[in-house]
Amino acid sequence: MSRTKHILSYAIPIVILLFFLFGSFFAPHDPTATNIRDKYLPSSAEYPFGTDALGRCILSRILYGGWTTLGIVLGGSLIVFLLGTVIGMVTSRAVMKENALIDGLINAVTAIPPIAYLIVFIGAWGSGAKTTLVALTVSYILRYIKLVRTRTDMEMGKAYVMCAIASGASKLRIMLIHIFPNLIAEMIRFLCLSCADMILAITGFSFIGLGLGDNVVDWGSMILDARGALVLHPTMILYPIGAVILSTLCFNVIGRQLTTKEAE
């Protein structure tokens, strides 16, 4: 029973995230198609979540918003994982000699909150999906590199690594075969929790008008649009908010499960 519960604790969040990511392929309508005559329609077979002020299908916009938001989040996380793992391991004390300059630079840069990077990049390049992706990637990859460097140094002092060194294993083999498998769970946990933060950052900036652009469908812009009809049509705002909460909760659940498994 416990094994089944453990599998479901991973399977359910992953299925929900996959639904948001690829649900746009099953959207019943064009999310940008407007029809003023059909504005503020209630839920029906044709429009399961109703329509907004411009007669656009809310369900279709939720699904396309998931593709946009999660696409940026997962794309940024993949870049962080690939580049951050290589840079973090290469710059660790296990490979390079202790360098106060590198340590000080990483500590100084990671002290800056991720939201500050978004403000700087948007101010320099303007709002857009590419700007958001670059800003989020830069802000989180530095923290990821710091995590990998620290954990690699910690693993180098353990008995199994000492035995590998004594047996004549090369540094590359030690990193890839011995150390990396022992870091993967913590890496994924960090990325899952970072993904939840990224979703909130993208949604928040889009809500205040510094999002992904006028022609891009995302959850933050949907919340902004629904705010004007909050009194007469309160359910409009619940759908995108629910999508944000559910997706961030899924990432947090996966990260929490990895933490619990490691503690056991």
Side-chain angles (χ1 to χ4, degrees):
M1 182 64 182
S2 60
R3 180 177 176 82
T4 302
K5 182 179 179 182
H6 180 71
I7 294 174
L8 289 176
S9 65
Y10 286 104
I12 293 175
I14 290 174
V15 169
I16 293 173
L17 291 173
L18 289 175
F19 171 74
F20 280 131
L21 183 61
F22 298 109
S24 58
F25 294 102
F26 307 100
H29 299 279
D30 182 348
T32 60
T34 60
N35 187 350
I36 300 299
R37 292 178 299 178
D38 292 337
K39 68 177 182 178
Y40 296 133
L41 290 180
S43 299
S44 62
E46 185 178 3
Y47 300 104
F49 288 177
T51 60
D52 62 8
L54 297 178
R56 298 172 296 191
C57 176
I58 295 178
L59 174 60
S60 299
R61 292 178 63 78
I62 289 288
L63 297 177
Y64 272 86
W67 167 259
T68 302
T69 304
L70 294 185
I72 293 174
V73 167
L74 295 178
S77 297
L78 180 61
I79 296 172
V80 169
F81 175 74
L82 295 177
L83 292 181
T85 300
V86 174
I87 296 173
M89 285 189 159
V90 169
T91 58
S92 65
R93 295 182 182 90
V95 178
M96 299 177 61
K97 294 182 178 179
E98 185 172 354
N99 192 320
L101 178 61
I102 294 178
D103 292 340
L105 180 62
I106 292 178
N107 289 332
V109 174
T110 52
I112 304 173
I115 194 171
Y117 289 93
L118 274 171
I119 296 173
V120 171
F121 277 89
I122 290 175
W125 296 346
S127 60
K130 292 182 179 179
T131 303
T132 304
L133 176 61
V134 171
L136 291 174
T137 302
V138 169
S139 63
Y140 284 97
I141 196 172
L142 298 171
R143 287 162 174 74
Y144 183 79
I145 290 173
K146 184 177 181 179
L147 169 68
V148 174
R149 291 181 76 244
T150 303
R151 293 292 289 119
T152 301
D153 293 337
M154 292 174 62
E155 293 296 317
M156 282 298 296
K158 294 185 177 180
Y160 75 92
V161 176
M162 296 297 183
C163 292
I165 295 174
S167 66
S170 64
K171 287 186 176 180
L172 180 61
R173 179 178 177 83
I174 291 173
M175 290 293 177
L176 295 180
I177 305 300
H178 299 284
I179 294 180
F180 178 74
N182 289 289
L183 300 184
I184 189 68
E186 189 159 355
M187 291 174 176
I188 296 176
R189 180 170 65 249
F190 175 88
L191 292 173
C192 285
L193 298 178
S194 297
C195 284
D197 291 339
M198 289 182 192
I199 291 174
L200 295 176
I202 293 172
T203 304
F205 270 79
S206 182
F207 177 74
I208 63 175
L210 299 175
L212 308 178
D214 296 335
N215 298 322
V216 179
V217 181
D218 66 281
W219 294 333
S221 62
M222 290 185 66
I223 296 173
L224 178 62
D225 293 340
R227 187 183 61 171
L230 183 60
V231 176
L232 297 178
H233 305 278
T235 56
M236 269 183 58
I237 202 171
L238 296 180
Y239 297 121
I241 290 178
V244 171
I245 293 174
L246 189 57
S247 58
T248 53
L249 181 62
C250 287
F251 280 116
N252 281 317
V253 167
I254 296 173
R256 177 67 177 175
Q257 288 299 318
L258 289 171
T259 303
T260 303
K261 182 179 179 181
E262 186 173 342
E264 293 175 352

